[in-house]
Amino acid sequence: MSTQERTSGSVTVGDQAPDFTLPTSKGDKVNLSDFQGQKSVVLYFYPKDDTPGCTAEACSFRDSYEVFQEAGAEVIGVSSDSSESHENFAKKNNLPFILASDEGGALRKSYGVPSTLGLLPGRVTYIIDKQGVVRHIFSSQFAPQKHVDEALKILKQF
């Protein structure tokens, strides 16, 4: 899928990002609207905690987290895993950013994140500016570490 391919009902570049409230790995809640006017948000959807590709992607975000912070952005990882699973995944891999639990996949559906081969939840990253507008979408199931490079490249343009 190209970075800007449109799927019916999906969020596209220039759209206002759908707000959400989700439980996190720390046992609290995260709202997208809490960052509006304050920080850009790198919202990345990934298939599953503790799988090789998802661990590599999360560790890439971890290793570049300071750079994201310096660029005025917060990183939020989202999968359908439980908050407890996220808590274990975050501890095991020293993840400093927010992991949000989208059990049932309602947020994934509202953003229009596609499945791969109709089975695997997609791997898509949304760059959302301080006004809550989607500025870039990157989708690649099989290049998990490229999501970090893409996100940083776009944030440097703000």
Side-chain angles (χ1 to χ4, degrees):
M1 179 190 245
S2 74
T3 57
Q4 313 242 344
E5 190 173 305
R6 189 177 181 110
T7 334
S8 177
S10 68
V11 171
T12 59
V13 171
D15 288 351
Q16 192 71 28
D19 196 13
F20 58 83
T21 301
L22 291 175
T24 73
S25 58
K26 297 187 183 341
D28 54 5
K29 303 248 185 236
V30 62
N31 304 293
L32 181 61
S33 57
D34 288 348
F35 298 99
Q36 202 159 347
Q38 318 262 328
K39 291 183 169 194
S40 299
V41 173
V42 177
L43 181 66
Y44 84 95
F45 289 87
Y46 65 99
K48 188 152 185 54
D49 291 344
D50 289 314
T51 57
C54 296
T55 300
E57 181 179 28
C59 290
S60 290
F61 275 111
R62 175 200 65 207
D63 295 346
S64 296
Y65 187 65
E66 278 186 40
V67 180
F68 283 106
Q69 294 281 283
E70 288 166 8
E74 185 55 64
V75 175
I76 303 174
V78 178
S79 80
S80 59
D81 294 297
S82 69
S83 295
E84 294 77 27
S85 175
H86 282 337
E87 182 181 14
N88 293 332
F89 185 53
K91 281 181 183 172
K92 185 190 296 183
N93 295 289
N94 266 344
L95 305 179
F97 51 85
I98 299 165
L99 292 180
S101 181
D102 182 28
E103 289 187 80
L107 185 63
R108 181 176 292 275
K109 188 174 183 181
S110 76
Y111 273 77
V113 177
S115 295
T116 301
L117 307 173
L119 302 169
L120 291 172
R123 185 184 311 279
V124 181
T125 299
Y126 296 83
I127 310 305
I128 303 164
D129 70 14
K130 290 179 184 177
Q131 288 72 46
V133 176
V134 176
R135 292 295 172 201
H136 187 73
I137 301 168
F138 180 73
S139 177
S140 175
Q141 183 74 307
F142 302 109
Q145 291 158 311
K146 191 164 186 216
H147 287 256
V148 172
D149 297 336
E150 278 288 311
L152 287 172
K153 180 176 81 176
I154 298 304
L155 284 169
K156 288 178 182 169
Q157 296 173 10
F158 285 9

